[in-house]
């Protein structure tokens, strides 16, 4: 694919990822509550979900998302429930100096929360179905074009997702007192609960 086409897709996708939504809110909340390491698995989970929808769109499998609609509803509610659980943990956490230390939280659960968050959002595949035909005819998609577009999705989402996580984590490091940590925990909890609400309200 020519550079102009790749640049167009990259620009459109970057804007879509940059716009705050349930994914951004969840990543920021996770980083505020558990640092960058705590948020990174969620970024990977969101990326995995994005790639699944991207493959669906590229290979004309959008019908699968419609056919198995009830499954995606279940995934959405399960993801929202786990985000609410995380929100409750942040809200009720007792602030202390130990909170500033990196925590080895369950990376798999965090990854699955990010994955279910994306899979429960059908707007993701709608975006791909809207933008891809303007970039390349899907019936003419070849292996090289698929690899190029996949690489763009991976690189852009990782850079922006990790950027949000790093900024939130850096802000967390600015707060050292127990009072400030308590407020930070409640902020993270509120943001995570908001993310869960946005997931449920997605259509």
């Amino acid at each position: 694919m020519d550079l102009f086409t790749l640049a167009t897709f990259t620009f459109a996708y970057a804007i879509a990822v940059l716009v705050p939504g349930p994914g951004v809110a969840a990543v920021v909340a996770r980083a505020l509550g558990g640092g960058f390491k705590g948020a990174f698995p969620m970024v990977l989970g969101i990326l995995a979900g994005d790639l699944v929808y991207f493959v669906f769109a590229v290979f004309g499998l959008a019908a699968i998302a419609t056919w198995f609609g009830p499954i995606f509803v279940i995934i959405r509610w399960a993801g929202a429930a786990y985000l609410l659980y995380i929100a409750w943990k942040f809200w009720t956490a007792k602030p202390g100096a130990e909170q500033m230390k990196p925590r080895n939280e369950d990376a798999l659960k965090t990854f699955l929360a990010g994955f279910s968050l994306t899979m429960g959002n059908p707007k993701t595949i709608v975006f791909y179905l809207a933008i891809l035909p303007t970039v390349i005819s899907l019936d003419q998609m070849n292996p090289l074009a698929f690899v190029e577009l996949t690489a763009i999705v991976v690189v852009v989402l990782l850079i922006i997702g990790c950027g949000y996580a790093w900024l939130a984590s850096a802000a967390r490091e600015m707060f050292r007192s127990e009072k400030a940590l308590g407020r930070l925990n409640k902020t993270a909890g509120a943001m995570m609960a908001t993310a869960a609400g946005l997931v449920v309200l997605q259509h």
Side-chain angles (χ1 to χ4, degrees):
M1 297 175 66
D2 61 88
L3 290 178
F4 179 78
T5 299
L6 292 176
T8 301
F9 176 77
T10 301
F11 181 73
Y13 183 66
I15 292 177
V17 177
L18 274 170
V19 174
V24 170
V27 169
V28 170
R30 194 65 171 172
L32 285 175
F36 180 83
K37 289 184 178 180
F40 185 64
M42 181 165 284
V43 174
L44 293 180
I46 292 174
L47 172 61
D50 251 55
L51 289 176
V52 169
Y53 272 138
F54 174 70
V55 171
F56 281 179
V58 167
F59 292 100
L61 298 178
I64 290 181
T66 301
W67 186 265
F68 293 103
I71 294 179
F72 290 111
V73 172
I74 294 173
I75 292 174
R76 180 190 309 164
W77 280 93
Y82 184 66
L83 292 179
L84 282 176
Y85 168 71
I86 297 174
W88 176 78
K89 287 187 66 177
F90 283 151
W91 189 270
T92 58
K94 295 181 179 180
E98 68 278 359
Q99 283 190 281
M100 299 310 296
K101 300 177 182 178
R103 291 182 292 177
N104 294 320
E105 298 173 331
D106 194 325
L108 178 58
K109 288 183 178 179
T110 303
F111 172 88
L112 291 176
F115 181 76
S116 63
L117 190 156
T118 301
M119 294 303 295
N121 181 11
K123 290 182 180 179
T124 303
I125 196 170
V126 171
F127 165 77
Y128 284 127
L129 289 175
I131 191 65
L132 283 175
T134 68
V135 176
I136 186 172
S137 178
L138 294 183
D139 58 359
Q140 297 177 358
M141 178 69 69
N142 58 58
L144 180 58
F146 175 75
V147 171
E148 290 173 337
L149 294 177
T150 301
I152 290 174
V153 169
V154 171
V155 172
V156 170
L157 196 149
L158 281 179
I159 289 177
I160 295 177
C162 289
Y164 271 117
W166 180 82
L167 288 174
S169 179
R172 170 187 169 80
E173 296 299 325
M174 295 171 60
F175 297 87
R176 295 289 180 178
S177 69
E178 290 192 7
K179 185 176 181 180
L181 280 176
R183 291 176 178 173
L184 198 61
N185 283 337
K186 285 181 168 51
T187 298
M191 291 185 66
M192 195 66 78
T194 300
L198 290 174
V199 168
V200 171
L201 293 175
Q202 295 286 356
H203 297 291

